[in-house]
Amino acid sequence: MNIITKIFNLETQKEFEIIKITDKIKNFIKESKIKQGFINIYSKHTTLAIKINEYEKLLLKDFFSLMKNIADENKDYHHDKTELRENCPVNEPKNAKSHLRCFLLETSQTIPILNYEMQLGTYQDIFAVETSGPRKRKIILQVCGNCSE
């Protein structure tokens, strides 16, 4: 079995955004020459999620609304009281709402690979969900499996 790892850098532009990364991952799998196995896509951040779903404009608007309802923008959160937190850096952002949104999302996804292709459904895409941007992010791509013969 072969294991190939790549760190994918992503620079987000907004506080809360959804970035489609499917094509970048497909290219990595193609370069890896893994015929059969799986890929794990992992965010190294507590406020950047990795999701699989339909990347459709109106659905994404509904998702934004859902996330804003789950963690209200104007609520007084305990986590944002940085002066009460131990070992909290002076420039720590007030981003409790971002952490709370990501609590409900995953920081990784694993997808099977068959005949050199991810086995995504017809409408499935992979995207990074930024909840505390803009920031520079790192996503680890790790593909495991058997190479072409």
Side-chain angles (χ1 to χ4, degrees):
M1 177 182 292
N2 297 295
I3 300 173
I4 303 162
T5 304
K6 178 179 182 176
I7 296 178
F8 166 54
N9 293 305
L10 179 68
E11 195 163 337
T12 64
Q13 304 301 313
K14 300 175 186 171
E15 179 185 17
F16 187 50
E17 69 179 306
I18 297 171
I19 303 150
K20 185 174 164 183
I21 58 175
T22 311
D23 291 340
K24 292 182 186 315
I25 296 166
K26 284 181 180 179
N27 289 339
F28 172 63
I29 292 169
K30 185 177 179 181
E31 292 169 10
S32 75
K33 297 182 172 57
I34 295 292
K35 182 177 183 180
Q36 183 170 312
F38 62 90
I39 184 164
N40 184 262
I41 303 114
Y42 175 76
S43 164
K44 291 188 67 170
H45 309 278
T46 57
T47 56
L48 181 79
I50 306 295
K51 290 300 296 174
I52 297 173
N53 210 310
E54 184 174 358
Y55 194 84
E56 189 276 324
K57 188 170 113 177
L58 297 176
L59 178 62
L60 298 182
K61 284 179 99 169
D62 292 335
F63 178 70
F64 279 114
S65 294
L66 174 67
M67 288 290 108
K68 287 181 184 225
N69 286 334
I70 285 171
D72 188 322
E73 303 273 329
N74 301 311
K75 189 167 179 179
D76 184 29
Y77 293 106
H78 298 289
H79 180 74
D80 289 342
K81 296 174 182 162
T82 55
E83 69 280 1
L84 302 177
R85 291 169 46 196
E86 292 182 36
N87 303 319
C88 187
V90 177
N91 60 348
E92 179 74 9
K94 295 185 184 322
N95 63 351
K97 68 183 182 303
S98 304
H99 286 284
L100 293 170
R101 290 170 181 165
C102 270
F103 257 113
L104 302 174
L105 306 171
E106 298 89 9
T107 55
S108 69
Q109 297 288 324
T110 300
I111 304 163
I113 297 169
L114 184 59
N115 294 322
Y116 307 101
E117 292 184 2
M118 285 186 291
Q119 296 301 295
L120 292 172
T122 302
Y123 298 106
Q124 288 183 320
D125 271 301
I126 306 160
F127 42 90
V129 180
E130 173 63 80
T131 66
S132 187
R135 293 191 187 211
K136 292 181 180 178
R137 303 299 200 161
K138 293 190 182 298
I139 298 171
I140 298 175
L141 306 177
Q142 191 166 61
V143 64
C144 304
N146 299 320
C147 288
S148 56
E149 291 131 26

